[in-house]
Every structure is written in structure tokens, then in C-alpha cells.
Amino acid sequence: MKAVRFHEYGGIDVLRVEDVPRPEPGPDQLLVEVRAAGIQPGEAHIRSGALHARWPATFPSGQGSDLAGVVVALGPEVRGFAVGDEVLGFTHRRASHAQYVAVDDVHVVHRPRGVSWDVAGALYVAGTTAYATVFATDPTPSDTVVVSGAAGGVGSLAVQLARRRGATVIGLASTGNHGWLREHGVVPVAYGDGVADRIRAAAGGRVDAFIDTIGNGYVELAASLGVRPERIDTIRDWQAAAKVGARTYGEGSAASAVVLGELARLAAGGELEVPIARSYPLESVREAFRDLERGHTHGKIVLHP
């Protein structure tokens, strides 16, 4: 089968699409023919070596956590799934950017009707991360919550989940994404110089919680706005979080098929929109990551093996 590999840390050019043996499912695993697999900023940071101390790579390394596809084989201990089932799920083995992946049966759910392949294949990392950030900041109907990167893969879901709790949500995003935010009940604010004053004006002077999906000083900004540390959550700036006492809940804090299944149910019912920016064939993985690393992407980028 074809699979993405890199044999050393580096830029986009170290990514290769190689012929590798097709995996065999273990006793409690499903072999899934992948139809769609999302890509993440964290994968680019792992590939570059920037996260070696936290998540070291073993070479040659694969890539990918998100996946959606069709079950083509089962281990003897698997229950509740059959060959031909359409599923979405995740793997912690950096393996979903491939034509086939062996997945633990506890890491997949059935794909609901009404959820496209692209949405199903892009939901796990962004969705569970967004879920965790909202859980960490615990917004209520009386709260005002700010979300940085509000139109990105995680931010676009976090603003919707916070709105579902009844909170007033202020989304920091480029002006081109303000229309989408307004359509989803979010108060848009442009980032950049003077953003603190614009947030105060939009919030009427009080901010209760802050979800940071970007880093680059937003944790300190949240603290300067008077947000209590336990109601600041960042998925990017762990150093700043340690400094001010903020939380760092992310994908790992909600990594379960139960959470994924609930998000898929919301998506199927039209209660959660998962924006898909673009899709690329597996062979164009370099271009997909080049697109991702330019920034300012509205929603998710997906590979089609």
C-alpha cells in the first residue's frame, strides 16, 4: 500500500509517499481502507523536530491520527463491527495517512448518515481538542468567552461548542472569516494591534474565559484582560500556561470514541458544522502541508488516500 513516511526531521520536502506492507489487524483491531484523513498543525511540528522533547519520532515515521473509511478485515476478538461497515476514528500510531490502517476497535465508531467522508476523516483531533478546551473553561450562559484562531480547524468547532452552552462567544479571526462567525452566533473581532481594546469593547468590559488555539502571546493577553488562570486554556503555549497557571487541555484530554461519537452525532444532526477548507490526494501530501503551514485556513484540510 501507499503511505506517507519521513526518515528525518525537516521541512515539507522530507515527506514521501512510499510503498509499505499492508498491516494485518491484531486480535482486537479492524483493518480500515481509508477514504479521508485530516492533517494537523501538530503533525508539522512533530515532523520538523520542534516537539522532539514532548513527542519524539522514531524513523522511518508515519503520520496521521484522524481517519474515516470502510472496514475490510477484522481481528477475531472484535465485536460490534463487520466487514463493509463505514467507520470514523483515530490511531495513536501515526499511521492514518495511508491507504490502509489497523485501528483498535475501541477507537472507532460507525459513520452516521449525513456525515461526509471528509468531515468524518477530519473530526477526531480538531473535534476532541475543541471539546476539551470548552470543558476546561466551562462556559455558562452568563459568561463571555474569547477564542483565538476562531475560524481554524479547532477554533471553528470550539466557538460552536461554547455557543451550545449558551455563552457569548467572541471569535478572533481575519476579517474574511467574520461573516462565517456571525452566521454561527459568534461576535467577530480582528486580531492584531489593538486587539485587547477591541475585545473589551465587544465584551462590554468583562471577559470570563479564554480559549487559545494559536499561542503567540494570547495566554498573557487573557491574563491582562482579567481572566482567572483556571479559565484560560491553551493548546499551543505550554510555557506561558505554566507561567500564569493556565490550563492545557487538548486532544489528549478527550481522546475517546465516546466523545468522537457524540461529535459525529451533532454533525449528522446539523448541530455542528465542520468546515472543510480543501482536500488533496495522498500523493500531494507536501502541497497539503504547504497549504496548512501558510496559516489562515478556514477549517480542515483532508487527504484522500
Side-chain angles (χ1 to χ4, degrees):
M1 70 169 187
K2 301 289 186 183
V4 175
R5 291 285 187 272
F6 59 99
H7 294 254
E8 60 183 336
Y9 288 132
I12 291 167
D13 290 345
V14 304
L15 293 174
R16 307 178 187 177
V17 177
E18 299 181 337
D19 290 316
V20 300
R22 193 173 90 166
E24 295 292 333
D28 57 356
Q29 290 185 319
L30 303 81
L31 183 65
V32 176
E33 183 178 9
V34 180
R35 297 289 178 85
I39 69 173
Q40 325 296 336
E43 290 157 357
H45 297 315
I46 289 171
R47 184 203 69 233
S48 73
L51 296 179
H52 176 79
R54 192 178 181 96
W55 292 304
T58 301
F59 301 116
S61 177
Q63 278 197 155
S65 300
D66 287 5
L67 64 100
V70 178
V71 177
V72 296
L74 299 166
E77 297 178 12
V78 173
R79 300 292 182 268
F81 296 95
V83 170
D85 283 355
E86 297 178 352
V87 297
L88 66 151
F90 60 97
T91 174
H92 292 314
R93 298 181 179 89
R94 299 179 187 170
S96 70
H97 296 170
Q99 291 177 316
Y100 295 88
V101 60
V103 190
D104 296 348
D105 58 1
V106 294
H107 292 166
V108 294
V109 298
H110 289 94
R111 180 172 75 113
R113 290 174 182 243
V115 176
S116 71
W117 283 118
D118 280 0
V119 167
L123 187 56
Y124 167 69
V125 170
T128 58
T129 301
Y131 183 97
T133 66
V134 173
F135 176 85
T137 52
D138 194 24
T140 69
S142 62
D143 286 334
T144 296
V145 184
V146 177
V147 180
S148 69
V154 174
S156 62
L157 303 183
V159 295
Q160 294 178 73
L161 294 174
R163 284 289 298 133
R164 283 182 57 78
R165 290 202 177 199
T168 297
V169 179
I170 295 172
L172 306 184
S174 60
T175 55
N177 291 314
H178 285 191
W180 183 89
L181 291 171
R182 289 191 189 96
E183 290 171 3
H184 290 78
V186 178
V187 180
V189 168
Y191 58 81
D193 292 343
V195 67
D197 291 337
R198 291 192 292 276
I199 291 172
R200 290 188 183 97
R206 191 191 80 186
V207 176
D208 301 288
F210 201 110
I211 294 170
D212 169 39
T213 72
I214 299 294
N216 297 331
Y218 281 114
V219 170
E220 292 88 345
L221 172 64
S224 75
L225 292 169
V227 183
R228 300 199 312 271
E230 66 271 21
R231 301 201 70 190
I232 303 170
D233 189 74
T234 180
I235 64 171
R236 296 292 291 274
D237 199 341
W238 302 294
Q239 185 174 1
K243 183 177 179 181
V244 307
R247 295 184 168 186
T248 57
Y249 285 37
E251 171 253 321
S253 302
S256 76
V258 173
V259 172
L260 180 61
E262 172 63 12
L263 294 169
R265 183 190 67 77
L266 292 174
E271 299 176 72
L272 181 69
E273 180 186 349
V274 184
I276 302 297
R278 278 168 293 282
S279 61
Y280 291 86
L282 189 71
E283 292 76 11
S284 299
V285 63
R286 291 183 182 180
E287 184 55 36
F289 273 94
R290 189 172 290 111
D291 189 353
L292 179 75
E293 292 175 40
R294 291 188 190 108
H296 306 291
T297 301
H298 175 43
K300 296 294 297 177
I301 295 174
V302 181
L303 293 175
H304 290 170

